[in-house]
């Protein structure tokens, strides 16, 4: 298994370009199943998760070609509606095929996604949405089997904000008969880009960027072509790479307003920013002020940047807390950061961080996607050498992260394990 070897304590400099958003691309890839024909997606990142979703679409009968950053998906001959255990167990986002397969075939068979390092990951809200549209759901032998002769539009009230359930509800309702209203829909930019893509396919969805989405069902959708939005989590991760190494760097090809809340919190910590168009330049302070954060659905502080911000706060001048209300167990990185001489205590789903003067390099292990990015950030700041094992997690969500960091002057190399 590959490892990263990092010699930390160096300033970074220069500019980094942000890739297309993984969490925007994955649901759009499954939305192509709603039509027959060739859809074309641009600015697609080369990630393990994109490869896994491409494989799943091929299993369903689609033809998928990936050249450069262009993904072509021909769904003309899709004739299979089962997402098997061995694929779903590796990538939870496979559940995004459930809505489109139900809408296209009147049935689907999707392995119940298991838990992962950040929590149990229930799917009750996904099922509630499909039942509201008329599906009967049978769950047996670890498979979810929704079936419905004719989907009928309805009211869908989510008692909790869920990105995935909002996506699946949208991808089912677009071909349902009549009108569907989704209340308490997720506001994440990735939902907005899914709505843009579905409307390009011929869907009729109103209310983008609000919590109330109104869908007027149509009888047929066509393939579409679209550019993927930049990855706001990669954007935030690189801003924190600059912040934790006290460097002035520029992050380009991003959408600053998508991570406004991170910029606000980092300004509270003393950082200054220069935002010009799709670029953000960060200016570090002498002293990092401690800042408390609580993760909440968009536009509040994203859970996917919780670990990275926590790593930054290990070097703050004082005490602060980081609470994750979305994934209360998402703290596997804390133990590893403490191995780098951080001083973090856990109290249920809240980390209490007492800032230290510096971190020191050690051997650590990645556990999940965002935690592994966090360990890289901490390694960049730590004095001496840090070795990170199990870095396959990081390749799931970051395109060539070590090359991008090397271009910024980081001393990081990948050692084939
Ligand atoms: C998406 O996961 C993202 N994944 C996650 O990013 C992200 O952390 C999460 O949204 C929150 O923003 C993709 O987009 C592929 P949710 P998702 O449904 O849709 C609970 C990464 O690092 N819930 O919004 O699975 C759930 O337990 C990944 O790129 C239910 O209770 O998240 C959580 O507490 C990690 N029932 C909350 O809702 C359900 O049916 C939000 O989860 C569904 C979710």
């Amino acid at each position: 298994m590959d490892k990263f070897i990092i010699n930390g304590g160096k300033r970074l400099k220069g500019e980094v370009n942000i890739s297309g958003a993984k969490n925007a691309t994955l649901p759009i890839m499954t939305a192509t199943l709603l039509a027959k024909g060739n859809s074309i997606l641009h600015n697609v990142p080369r990630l393990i998760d994109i490869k896994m979703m491409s494989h799943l679409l091929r299993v369903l009968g689609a033809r998928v070609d990936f050249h450069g950053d262009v993904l072509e998906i021909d769904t003309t001959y899709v004739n299979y509606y089962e997402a098997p255990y061995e694929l779903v167990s590796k990538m939870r986002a496979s559940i995004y095929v459930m809505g489109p397969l139900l809408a296209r075939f009147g049935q689907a068979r999707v392995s119940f996604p298991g838990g992962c390092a950040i929590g149990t990951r229930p799917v009750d809200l996904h099922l509630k949405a499909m039942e509201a549209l008329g599906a009967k759901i049978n769950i047996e032998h670890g498979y979810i089997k929704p079936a419905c002769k004719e989907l009928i539009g309805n009211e869908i009230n989510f008692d909790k904000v869920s990105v995935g359930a909002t996506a699946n509800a949208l991808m089912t309702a677009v071909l349902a008969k009549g009108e569907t209203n989704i209340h308490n829909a997720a506001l994440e930019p990735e939902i907005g880009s899914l709505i843009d893509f579905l409307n390009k396919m011929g869907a009729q969805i109103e209310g983008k960027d609000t919590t109330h989405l109104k869908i007027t069902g149509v009888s047929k959708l066509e393939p579409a072509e679209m550019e993927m939005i930049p990855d706001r989590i990669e954007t935030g991760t690189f801003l924190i790479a600059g912040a934790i190494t006290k460097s002035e760097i520029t992050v380009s090809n991003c959408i600053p307003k998508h991570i406004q809340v991170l910029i606000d919190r980092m300004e509270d910590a003393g950082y200054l920013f220069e935002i010009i168009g799709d670029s953000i330049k960060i200016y570090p302070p002498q002293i990092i002020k401690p800042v408390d954060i609580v993760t909440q659905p968009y536009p509040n502080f994203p859970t996917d940047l919780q670990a990275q911000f926590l790593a930054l706060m290990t070097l703050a001048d004082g005490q602060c807390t980081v609470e994750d209300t979305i994934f209360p167990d998402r703290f596997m990185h804390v133990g590893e950061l403490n191995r780098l001489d951080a001083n973090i205590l856990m109290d249920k789903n809240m980390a209490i961080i007492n800032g230290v003067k510096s971190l020191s390099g050690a051997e650590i292990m990645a556990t999940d996607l965002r935690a592994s990015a966090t360990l890289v950030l901490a390694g960049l700041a730590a004095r001496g050498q840090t070795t990170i094992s199990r870095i396959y997690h990081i390749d799931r969500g970051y395109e060539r992260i070590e090359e991008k960091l090397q271009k910024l002057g980081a001393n990081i190399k990948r050692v084939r394990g």
Side-chain angles (χ1 to χ4, degrees), residues 22-23 92 121-125 162-164 304 326 370:
K22 165 176 85 82
N23 292 351
R92 171 186 166 69
R121 313 297 294 273
V123 292
D124 56 308
L125 299 175
S162 162
V163 173
D304 290 353
I326 308 275
R370 305 304 172 182

Side-chain angles (χ1 to χ4, degrees), residues 22-24 26-27 49 91-93 95-96 116 118-127 160-166 186 188 190 232-233 296-298 302-304 325-328 330 368-370 397:
K22 165 176 85 82
N23 292 351
L26 292 171
D49 277 16
M91 181 178 65
R92 171 186 166 69
I95 194 164
Y96 282 149
C116 66
I118 66 175
T120 51
R121 313 297 294 273
V123 292
D124 56 308
L125 299 175
H126 296 248
L127 306 187
K160 185 173 198 177
V161 174
S162 162
V163 173
T166 302
E188 273 69 3
E190 294 76 24
R232 62 192 169 98
I233 305 303
Q296 296 284 350
Y298 193 88
T303 176
D304 290 353
T325 66
I326 308 275
F327 294 117
R330 194 176 199 168
D368 59 272
L369 168 55
R370 305 304 172 182

Side-chain angles (χ1 to χ4, degrees), residues 11-23:
R11 289 259 191 290
L12 306 181
K13 64 185 180 313
E15 182 174 4
V16 61
N17 285 324
I18 297 304
S19 303
K22 165 176 85 82
N23 292 351

Side-chain angles (χ1 to χ4, degrees), residues 152-225:
I152 310 287
N154 200 347
E155 300 295 302
I156 298 175
N157 296 293
F158 285 129
D159 48 19
K160 185 173 198 177
V161 174
S162 162
V163 173
T166 302
N168 251 330
L170 276 167
M171 293 191 281
T172 310
V174 288
L175 287 179
K177 214 173 167 60
E179 183 177 297
T180 297
N181 287 287
I182 301 176
H183 302 282
N184 202 20
L187 291 169
E188 273 69 3
E190 294 76 24
I191 292 295
S193 79
L194 174 62
I195 289 171
D196 288 342
F197 188 77
L198 288 168
N199 283 342
K200 275 177 182 284
M201 294 179 83
Q204 291 176 24
I205 305 169
E206 298 163 69
K208 177 184 158 189
D209 297 336
T210 77
T211 58
H212 172 203
L213 300 176
K214 179 180 156 194
I215 303 104
T216 307
V218 295
S219 54
K220 194 167 180 293
L221 293 171
E222 296 301 330
E225 181 166 3

Side-chain angles (χ1 to χ4, degrees), residues 208 214 237 274 412:
K208 177 184 158 189
K214 179 180 156 194
T237 302
E274 187 180 35
I412 177 172

